[in-house]
Amino acid sequence: STCHYPNNEEFKMVLEKPIVIDCRDHLHGRLCSVVAKELLAGQKIVLVRCEDMVISGSLVRNQTKYAQFRKKRMNTNPTRGPFHFKSPARMVWRTIRGMVHQKSARGQAAIGRLSTFEGIPHPYDKVKRKVIPAALRVVRLKPGRKYTKMGDLANNVGWKHQELVSSLEDKRRAKAEVFFQKKKAAAALKAKAEEAAAGDLAKVNEVLAAAGH
């Protein structure tokens, strides 16, 4: 007997254009595991504001753990690795690399679909950003528990750009606020114009409704 497979159109995976995820206040491990799964499925992902991602546990605890991690090196020639990144974006990238089996071709392709950034650089500042509810700190971490921001941890282990990223983010937020106020004013004017013309448009709307619009 012959086996009938669905045609290619039915078999295609549903992948969107690159998804931009705002990492602010997400738990590090939970977010990375969700992102790794999506990357392996073929989805392109951009992570922004990695410095605002959080790790459970106090800053002192996480600093101690990172110090132990930094001691792990090749005894005779440390330049051969393992390499310990200091910037939050690279820390996140390295965590996800460990979740996609990067020594296989499939894993290499998956990690190639990932981009990580501190702050929200152009052009992602004008793109809709998403969150992952299952990885949010307010959902997953018990109230009152201590947590550490990736930016603070990175700053304490030698990352030199915390102030720069912070100032650039302030500028971006100021520009975004101006844009939002303009958009709000335009929407209010449109609503006012529609209300003023409601009587004139009643007949036109009836005709359009009858035509199925």
Side-chain angles (χ1 to χ4, degrees), residues 101-126:
H101 193 35
Q102 54 102 16
K103 290 190 178 182
S104 68
R106 179 172 175 246
Q108 279 292 308
I111 204 71
R113 295 185 200 105
L114 175 69
S115 302
T116 56
F117 298 98
E118 289 97 15
I120 307 180
H122 177 80
Y124 305 113
D125 55 343
K126 292 183 172 62

mmCIF file of all heavy atoms in Angstrom, residues 101-126:
data_model
loop_
_atom_site.group_PDB
_atom_site.id
_atom_site.type_symbol
_atom_site.label_atom_id
_atom_site.label_comp_id
_atom_site.label_asym_id
_atom_site.label_seq_id
_atom_site.Cartn_x
_atom_site.Cartn_y
_atom_site.Cartn_z
ATOM 1 N N HIS A 101 22.441 22.567 21.795
ATOM 2 C CA HIS A 101 23.343 21.522 21.296
ATOM 3 C C HIS A 101 24.182 22.066 20.143
ATOM 4 O O HIS A 101 24.129 21.580 19.005
ATOM 5 C CB HIS A 101 22.521 20.308 20.840
ATOM 6 C CG HIS A 101 23.352 19.077 20.612
ATOM 7 N ND1 HIS A 101 24.450 18.783 21.380
ATOM 8 C CD2 HIS A 101 23.254 18.078 19.696
ATOM 9 C CE1 HIS A 101 24.998 17.660 20.947
ATOM 10 N NE2 HIS A 101 24.293 17.209 19.936
ATOM 11 N N GLN A 102 24.993 23.094 20.474
ATOM 12 C CA GLN A 102 25.665 23.872 19.434
ATOM 13 C C GLN A 102 26.787 23.157 18.694
ATOM 14 O O GLN A 102 27.305 23.681 17.730
ATOM 15 C CB GLN A 102 26.179 25.181 20.033
ATOM 16 C CG GLN A 102 27.057 25.038 21.262
ATOM 17 C CD GLN A 102 28.532 25.199 20.975
ATOM 18 O OE1 GLN A 102 28.892 25.706 19.931
ATOM 19 N NE2 GLN A 102 29.388 24.751 21.892
ATOM 20 N N LYS A 103 27.137 21.949 19.131
ATOM 21 C CA LYS A 103 28.202 21.238 18.409
ATOM 22 C C LYS A 103 27.668 20.472 17.198
ATOM 23 O O LYS A 103 28.433 19.864 16.459
ATOM 24 C CB LYS A 103 28.957 20.300 19.359
ATOM 25 C CG LYS A 103 29.786 21.091 20.359
ATOM 26 C CD LYS A 103 30.721 20.230 21.164
ATOM 27 C CE LYS A 103 31.547 21.089 22.107
ATOM 28 N NZ LYS A 103 32.509 20.309 22.888
ATOM 29 N N SER A 104 26.344 20.500 17.013
ATOM 30 C CA SER A 104 25.760 19.894 15.809
ATOM 31 C C SER A 104 25.420 21.011 14.821
ATOM 32 O O SER A 104 25.319 22.179 15.189
ATOM 33 C CB SER A 104 24.483 19.130 16.165
ATOM 34 O OG SER A 104 23.471 20.040 16.569
ATOM 35 N N ALA A 105 25.224 20.630 13.566
ATOM 36 C CA ALA A 105 24.898 21.615 12.527
ATOM 37 C C ALA A 105 23.558 22.291 12.845
ATOM 38 O O ALA A 105 23.381 23.495 12.642
ATOM 39 C CB ALA A 105 24.839 20.938 11.168
ATOM 40 N N ARG A 106 22.618 21.499 13.373
ATOM 41 C CA ARG A 106 21.293 22.036 13.712
ATOM 42 C C ARG A 106 21.408 23.114 14.807
ATOM 43 O O ARG A 106 20.777 24.160 14.742
ATOM 44 C CB ARG A 106 20.392 20.894 14.194
ATOM 45 C CG ARG A 106 19.001 21.331 14.597
ATOM 46 C CD ARG A 106 18.119 20.117 14.869
ATOM 47 N NE ARG A 106 16.819 20.520 15.364
ATOM 48 C CZ ARG A 106 16.359 20.272 16.587
ATOM 49 N NH1 ARG A 106 17.109 19.622 17.458
ATOM 50 N NH2 ARG A 106 15.168 20.676 16.948
ATOM 51 N N GLY A 107 22.255 22.824 15.814
ATOM 52 C CA GLY A 107 22.453 23.778 16.895
ATOM 53 C C GLY A 107 23.154 25.038 16.426
ATOM 54 O O GLY A 107 22.808 26.144 16.844
ATOM 55 N N GLN A 108 24.139 24.890 15.539
ATOM 56 C CA GLN A 108 24.843 26.052 14.992
ATOM 57 C C GLN A 108 23.894 26.947 14.197
ATOM 58 O O GLN A 108 23.950 28.172 14.285
ATOM 59 C CB GLN A 108 25.992 25.592 14.084
ATOM 60 C CG GLN A 108 27.240 25.192 14.829
ATOM 61 C CD GLN A 108 27.927 26.359 15.511
ATOM 62 O OE1 GLN A 108 28.196 27.377 14.881
ATOM 63 N NE2 GLN A 108 28.195 26.232 16.795
ATOM 64 N N ALA A 109 23.006 26.297 13.430
ATOM 65 C CA ALA A 109 22.022 27.064 12.655
ATOM 66 C C ALA A 109 21.071 27.802 13.593
ATOM 67 O O ALA A 109 20.688 28.952 13.345
ATOM 68 C CB ALA A 109 21.239 26.124 11.740
ATOM 69 N N ALA A 110 20.698 27.132 14.699
ATOM 70 C CA ALA A 110 19.766 27.728 15.663
ATOM 71 C C ALA A 110 20.376 28.957 16.325
ATOM 72 O O ALA A 110 19.733 30.012 16.408
ATOM 73 C CB ALA A 110 19.371 26.698 16.725
ATOM 74 N N ILE A 111 21.630 28.844 16.779
ATOM 75 C CA ILE A 111 22.266 29.977 17.464
ATOM 76 C C ILE A 111 22.517 31.128 16.489
ATOM 77 O O ILE A 111 22.573 32.295 16.872
ATOM 78 C CB ILE A 111 23.570 29.540 18.187
ATOM 79 C CG1 ILE A 111 23.902 30.508 19.334
ATOM 80 C CG2 ILE A 111 24.738 29.404 17.250
ATOM 81 C CD1 ILE A 111 22.992 30.432 20.507
ATOM 82 N N GLY A 112 22.624 30.785 15.194
ATOM 83 C CA GLY A 112 22.772 31.821 14.163
ATOM 84 C C GLY A 112 21.514 32.653 13.974
ATOM 85 O O GLY A 112 21.561 33.750 13.397
ATOM 86 N N ARG A 113 20.379 32.135 14.456
ATOM 87 C CA ARG A 113 19.107 32.875 14.328
ATOM 88 C C ARG A 113 18.881 33.842 15.486
ATOM 89 O O ARG A 113 17.853 34.514 15.548
ATOM 90 C CB ARG A 113 17.929 31.896 14.275
ATOM 91 C CG ARG A 113 17.922 31.018 13.048
ATOM 92 C CD ARG A 113 16.671 30.149 12.969
ATOM 93 N NE ARG A 113 16.944 29.034 12.073
ATOM 94 C CZ ARG A 113 17.176 27.784 12.462
ATOM 95 N NH1 ARG A 113 17.109 27.472 13.732
ATOM 96 N NH2 ARG A 113 17.436 26.853 11.581
ATOM 97 N N LEU A 114 19.832 33.869 16.434
ATOM 98 C CA LEU A 114 19.652 34.680 17.641
ATOM 99 C C LEU A 114 20.504 35.943 17.601
ATOM 100 O O LEU A 114 21.661 35.907 17.199
ATOM 101 C CB LEU A 114 20.040 33.852 18.873
ATOM 102 C CG LEU A 114 20.036 34.571 20.222
ATOM 103 C CD1 LEU A 114 18.622 34.916 20.647
ATOM 104 C CD2 LEU A 114 20.719 33.729 21.288
ATOM 105 N N SER A 115 19.915 37.072 18.025
ATOM 106 C CA SER A 115 20.673 38.309 18.237
ATOM 107 C C SER A 115 20.358 38.819 19.630
ATOM 108 O O SER A 115 19.198 38.779 20.055
ATOM 109 C CB SER A 115 20.274 39.377 17.210
ATOM 110 O OG SER A 115 20.477 38.913 15.908
ATOM 111 N N THR A 116 21.370 39.286 20.357
ATOM 112 C CA THR A 116 21.143 39.822 21.708
ATOM 113 C C THR A 116 21.770 41.207 21.816
ATOM 114 O O THR A 116 22.850 41.455 21.272
ATOM 115 C CB THR A 116 21.762 38.903 22.781
ATOM 116 O OG1 THR A 116 23.154 38.729 22.504
ATOM 117 C CG2 THR A 116 21.088 37.545 22.821
ATOM 118 N N PHE A 117 21.071 42.110 22.520
ATOM 119 C CA PHE A 117 21.542 43.491 22.647
ATOM 120 C C PHE A 117 21.311 44.038 24.045
ATOM 121 O O PHE A 117 20.340 43.665 24.708
ATOM 122 C CB PHE A 117 20.795 44.416 21.664
ATOM 123 C CG PHE A 117 21.006 44.081 20.215
ATOM 124 C CD1 PHE A 117 20.070 43.324 19.524
ATOM 125 C CD2 PHE A 117 22.135 44.524 19.535
ATOM 126 C CE1 PHE A 117 20.251 43.013 18.186
ATOM 127 C CE2 PHE A 117 22.327 44.215 18.197
ATOM 128 C CZ PHE A 117 21.382 43.457 17.518
ATOM 129 N N GLU A 118 22.216 44.943 24.472
ATOM 130 C CA GLU A 118 21.901 45.779 25.632
ATOM 131 C C GLU A 118 21.144 46.998 25.114
ATOM 132 O O GLU A 118 21.439 47.502 24.036
ATOM 133 C CB GLU A 118 23.193 46.263 26.327
ATOM 134 C CG GLU A 118 23.942 45.178 27.050
ATOM 135 C CD GLU A 118 25.066 44.597 26.216
ATOM 136 O OE1 GLU A 118 25.454 45.206 25.207
ATOM 137 O OE2 GLU A 118 25.549 43.506 26.569
ATOM 138 N N GLY A 119 20.186 47.473 25.898
ATOM 139 C CA GLY A 119 19.371 48.594 25.436
ATOM 140 C C GLY A 119 18.503 48.172 24.273
ATOM 141 O O GLY A 119 18.354 46.979 23.974
ATOM 142 N N ILE A 120 17.925 49.165 23.579
ATOM 143 C CA ILE A 120 17.106 48.862 22.394
ATOM 144 C C ILE A 120 17.638 49.686 21.229
ATOM 145 O O ILE A 120 17.233 50.836 21.015
ATOM 146 C CB ILE A 120 15.608 49.191 22.637
ATOM 147 C CG1 ILE A 120 15.122 48.496 23.919
ATOM 148 C CG2 ILE A 120 14.769 48.746 21.450
ATOM 149 C CD1 ILE A 120 13.665 48.761 24.241
ATOM 150 N N PRO A 121 18.605 49.131 20.479
ATOM 151 C CA PRO A 121 19.213 49.897 19.385
ATOM 152 C C PRO A 121 18.280 50.011 18.179
ATOM 153 O O PRO A 121 17.307 49.265 18.045
ATOM 154 C CB PRO A 121 20.457 49.077 19.036
ATOM 155 C CG PRO A 121 20.089 47.676 19.414
ATOM 156 C CD PRO A 121 19.158 47.783 20.595
ATOM 157 N N HIS A 122 18.596 50.992 17.288
ATOM 158 C CA HIS A 122 17.881 51.102 16.016
ATOM 159 C C HIS A 122 18.164 49.826 15.210
ATOM 160 O O HIS A 122 19.280 49.336 15.254
ATOM 161 C CB HIS A 122 18.396 52.338 15.267
ATOM 162 C CG HIS A 122 17.782 52.525 13.913
ATOM 163 N ND1 HIS A 122 16.545 53.084 13.741
ATOM 164 C CD2 HIS A 122 18.233 52.193 12.676
ATOM 165 C CE1 HIS A 122 16.253 53.102 12.440
ATOM 166 N NE2 HIS A 122 17.266 52.563 11.782
ATOM 167 N N PRO A 123 17.241 49.228 14.481
ATOM 168 C CA PRO A 123 15.871 49.662 14.215
ATOM 169 C C PRO A 123 14.826 49.078 15.176
ATOM 170 O O PRO A 123 13.635 49.268 14.975
ATOM 171 C CB PRO A 123 15.635 49.114 12.807
ATOM 172 C CG PRO A 123 16.396 47.814 12.812
ATOM 173 C CD PRO A 123 17.613 48.048 13.687
ATOM 174 N N TYR A 124 15.281 48.378 16.230
ATOM 175 C CA TYR A 124 14.320 47.658 17.081
ATOM 176 C C TYR A 124 13.546 48.587 18.009
ATOM 177 O O TYR A 124 12.563 48.175 18.616
ATOM 178 C CB TYR A 124 15.046 46.568 17.878
ATOM 179 C CG TYR A 124 15.803 45.629 16.976
ATOM 180 C CD1 TYR A 124 17.189 45.577 16.981
ATOM 181 C CD2 TYR A 124 15.124 44.826 16.067
ATOM 182 C CE1 TYR A 124 17.883 44.744 16.128
ATOM 183 C CE2 TYR A 124 15.816 43.982 15.204
ATOM 184 C CZ TYR A 124 17.194 43.943 15.232
ATOM 185 O OH TYR A 124 17.866 43.114 14.381
ATOM 186 N N ASP A 125 13.985 49.861 18.103
ATOM 187 C CA ASP A 125 13.252 50.809 18.936
ATOM 188 C C ASP A 125 11.914 51.197 18.306
ATOM 189 O O ASP A 125 11.037 51.731 18.983
ATOM 190 C CB ASP A 125 14.099 52.064 19.205
ATOM 191 C CG ASP A 125 14.602 52.726 17.920
ATOM 192 O OD1 ASP A 125 14.575 52.055 16.869
ATOM 193 O OD2 ASP A 125 15.022 53.891 17.976
ATOM 194 N N LYS A 126 11.760 50.886 17.003
ATOM 195 C CA LYS A 126 10.500 51.218 16.328
ATOM 196 C C LYS A 126 9.721 49.960 15.911
ATOM 197 O O LYS A 126 8.871 50.009 15.026
ATOM 198 C CB LYS A 126 10.777 52.096 15.108
ATOM 199 C CG LYS A 126 11.285 53.488 15.475
ATOM 200 C CD LYS A 126 11.493 54.358 14.260
ATOM 201 C CE LYS A 126 11.814 55.782 14.658
ATOM 202 N NZ LYS A 126 13.058 55.911 15.431
#
